[in-house]
């Protein structure tokens, strides 16, 4: 796979606008374009990925020296913008409306606008911001969706028909950790140099879009979540899940996570089922298995060392649940990946 500097004339329109605003060095790798920011502007990158006709992704992973306000539609006012904040904070507003709404980490937003009410995103200086924006052209992308094969497509098209009647639309969604999981997988694979990993990234972006759409259609019209939990309680669930991910070796229990989050056992279970479609114990087990898979693939640790590292004590139990998830024994998996 070859990385090369790119002629500005060949840039996707969205990235050309961002380059005009931020400057920086542009490179291309398997049709994925990246702006590496100069130290005078900040650090990090902005990346453009084309998924298919009418469907593009803009990823920000940067820390800016000054506040930046950009047009989230990138001059295409026929797009539906699916925004997700993975880290840091950003703010959304419309050009003719002074009010800004904060999009917090792990929160979704869906935006539609016209030429008079352009959609604006503000990224604050000095804070590492990880932001993903999926731009879906309402005509090009939606025309490719088969309503017969996918009833969700029919619901989305019907909703967009209603949105097109208004000049601007902004929906701030609930926290969604399932989207975060997919984006984190994309980020940890971003330095892989095989075509299969590039295809895997694009596949995960489609999963992200599907989860955006599913949540949007469930929430639209009510602006409520269906979990029965308050937003602050969902935020505590998010913090508890991150704690498990960062420290899988700890012997997490319902009691210890309740103490960590300040939630009751019932609230904790309801939150995990709503955000991850898993019980707390199943979530902990899955985090440990994904960590084990990463260690087997990327390190020289023995099976026993991996078992210890993820907080388990029984090698036989580990081998059993690993095979159930990955359809492969840990020993064989390690051999195939080394």
């Amino acid at each position: 796979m070859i990385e090369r500097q790119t002629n500005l004339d060949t840039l996707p329109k969205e990235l050309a606008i961002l380059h005009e605003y931020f400057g920086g060095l542009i490179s291309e790798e398997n049709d994925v374009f990246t702006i590496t920011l100069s130290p005078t502007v900040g650090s990090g990158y902005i990346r453009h990925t084309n998924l298919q006709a009418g469907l593009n992704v803009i990823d920000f992973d940067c820390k800016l020296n000054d506040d930046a306000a950009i047009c989230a539609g990138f001059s295409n006012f026929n797009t539906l913008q699916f925004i997700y904040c993975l880290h840091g904070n950003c703010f959304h507003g419309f050009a003719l409306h002074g009010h800004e709404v904060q999009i917090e980490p792990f929160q979704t937003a869906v935006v539609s606008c016209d030429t008079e009410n352009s959609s604006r995103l503000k990224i604050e200086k000095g804070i590492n911001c990880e932001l993903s924006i999926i731009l879906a052209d309402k005509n090009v992308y939606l025309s490719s969706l088969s309503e017969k094969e996918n009833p969700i497509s029919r619901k989305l098209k019907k909703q967009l028909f209603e949105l097109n009647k208004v000049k601007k639309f902004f929906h701030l969604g609930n926290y969604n950790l399932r989207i975060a999981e997919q984006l984190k997988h994309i980020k940890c694979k971003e330095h892989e140099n095989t075509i299969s990993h590039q295809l895997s990234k694009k596949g995960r972006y489609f999963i992200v879009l599907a989860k955006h759409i599913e949540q949007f259609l469930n929430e639209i019209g009510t602006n409520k979540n269906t979990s029965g939990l308050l937003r602050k309680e969902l935020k505590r669930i998010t913090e508890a899940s991150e704690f498990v991910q960062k420290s899988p070796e700890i012997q997490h229990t319902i009691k210890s996570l309740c103490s960590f989050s300040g939630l009751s056992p019932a609230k904790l279970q309801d939150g995990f089922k709503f955000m991850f479609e898993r019980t707390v114990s199943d979530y902990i087990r899955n985090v440990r298995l994904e960590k084990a898979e990463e260690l087997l693939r990327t390190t020289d640790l023995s099976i026993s060392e991996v078992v210890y590292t993820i907080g388990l004590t029984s090698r036989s139990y580990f081998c059993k649940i690993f095979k159930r998830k990955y359809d492969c024994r840990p020993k064989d998996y390690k051999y195939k990946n080394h």
Side-chain angles (χ1 to χ4, degrees), residues 25-301:
L25 178 67
I26 301 173
S27 60
E28 178 187 358
E29 200 172 39
N30 282 345
D31 296 325
V32 176
F33 295 84
T34 302
I35 296 174
T36 301
L37 300 180
S38 68
T40 57
V41 173
S43 60
Y45 65 82
I46 304 168
R47 183 175 60 209
H48 177 282
T49 305
N50 175 258
L51 300 180
Q52 68 176 58
L55 197 61
N56 301 286
V57 185
I58 304 291
D59 288 306
F60 293 81
D61 188 344
C62 56
K63 182 186 289 187
L64 302 177
N65 297 337
D66 296 295
D67 291 348
I70 57 175
C71 178
F74 304 100
S75 296
N76 184 354
F77 298 100
N78 196 46
T79 61
L80 194 62
Q81 302 146 34
F82 295 92
I83 303 171
Y84 188 83
C85 181
L86 186 62
H87 187 273
N89 291 314
C90 65
F91 297 83
H92 179 273
F94 289 100
L96 299 183
H97 195 289
H99 180 63
E100 292 182 338
V101 177
Q102 182 177 2
I103 305 174
E104 297 180 353
F106 308 117
Q107 204 167 11
T108 66
V110 180
V111 185
S112 179
C113 63
D114 65 6
T115 54
E116 294 181 358
N117 291 277
S118 60
S119 173
R120 302 294 178 93
L121 277 177
K122 186 175 82 173
I123 300 175
E124 291 188 320
K125 65 180 180 180
I127 300 174
N128 186 54
C129 182
E130 296 178 43
L131 185 68
S132 177
I133 307 172
I134 297 180
L135 302 168
D137 188 290
K138 297 175 190 176
N139 293 332
V140 178
Y141 172 64
L142 288 174
S143 65
S144 70
L145 299 177
S146 171
E147 295 185 6
K148 293 182 179 180
E149 295 178 4
N150 189 352
I152 291 180
S153 303
R154 185 162 53 251
K155 289 179 65 177
L156 181 60
K157 288 182 178 181
K158 180 180 179 181
Q159 188 58 57
L160 284 180
F161 178 77
E162 296 298 321
L163 293 184
N164 285 334
K165 296 178 181 179
V166 298
K167 291 188 175 182
K168 60 184 177 69
F169 173 84
F170 176 80
H171 174 76
L172 184 65
N174 291 304
Y175 297 96
N176 192 318
L177 269 281
R178 283 167 275 179
I179 290 178
E181 286 184 334
Q182 296 299 325
L183 292 176
K184 286 176 180 177
H185 277 295
I186 291 171
K187 286 180 63 64
C188 75
K189 297 283 189 183
E190 66 188 13
H191 299 298
E192 297 280 1
N193 292 326
T194 64
I195 296 297
S196 61
H197 282 119
Q198 294 298 319
L199 293 174
S200 175
K201 284 183 186 181
K202 289 193 175 184
R204 289 191 182 276
Y205 277 126
F206 279 108
I207 294 174
V208 167
L209 177 61
K211 294 187 181 300
H212 262 293
I213 292 173
E214 179 184 27
Q215 178 173 326
F216 172 63
L217 292 176
N218 285 336
E219 293 177 348
I220 193 67
T222 63
N223 201 28
K224 298 178 181 177
N225 69 69
T226 58
S227 68
L229 296 169
L230 301 174
R231 186 175 295 278
K232 65 180 181 180
E233 292 172 333
L234 291 173
K235 190 171 184 179
R236 291 177 185 174
I237 297 295
T238 300
E239 292 167 351
S241 67
E242 283 197 303
F243 179 46
V244 173
Q245 289 184 358
K246 290 177 181 178
S247 306
E249 74 284 356
I250 293 177
Q251 298 306 308
H252 300 286
T253 63
I254 296 287
K255 184 177 180 179
S256 67
L257 289 176
C258 284
S259 177
F260 176 84
S261 64
L263 298 173
S264 68
K267 292 279 189 182
L268 193 74
Q269 289 284 19
D270 287 346
F272 271 79
K273 288 177 182 177
F274 173 70
M275 299 188 79
F276 303 106
E277 298 178 341
R278 297 179 184 273
T279 63
V280 174
S281 59
D282 189 35
Y283 179 84
I284 295 169
R285 185 184 308 112
N286 189 66
V287 167
R288 285 174 167 168
L289 286 173
E290 290 187 344
K291 180 64 176 179
E293 183 275 335
E294 178 187 347
L295 292 172
L296 290 172
R297 177 168 45 82
T298 61
T299 73
D300 293 323
L301 293 178

